[in-house]
Amino acid sequence: MPGIVGISVTVDADHVEGIDVVGVALAEEGMRIDAVHRTIGIISGSVPASRLTALEAVPGILAIELEQHVDIRRGGPEPG
């Protein structure tokens, strides 16, 4: 598993109004917060992969999604 992973955390409807409180709790569990999207209830950032399970226990979390990275460079190394 990689060291640091990018994530998007969806906050449940009961906690959206208190999204900043949820963000503080996530930060206390090791998440680096990059953005809080209050209108859609999503907090994005990164976390050590070893802390993902701890984030799931934070009250108000509906889902945690890992960022997907796609490499579209041309002329890069051929798979092989």
Side-chain angles (χ1 to χ4, degrees):
M1 196 171 241
I4 302 290
V5 293
I7 59 172
S8 292
V9 177
T10 304
V11 177
D12 70 30
D14 292 337
H15 290 82
V16 169
E17 288 191 20
I19 195 168
D20 292 321
V21 174
V22 176
V24 168
L26 290 169
E28 288 174 351
E29 291 297 340
M31 182 177 175
R32 188 191 80 210
I33 308 296
D34 291 336
V36 177
H37 309 280
R38 288 172 184 81
T39 56
I40 58 173
I42 293 178
I43 301 171
S44 58
S46 58
V47 66
S50 62
R51 300 297 300 159
L52 280 170
T53 303
L55 295 185
E56 293 172 356
V58 171
I61 302 306
L62 180 64
I64 298 174
E65 295 181 45
L66 297 178
E67 283 184 5
Q68 302 297 317
H69 294 281
V70 177
D71 188 350
I72 58 170
R73 290 179 291 178
R74 293 180 183 220
E78 291 294 320

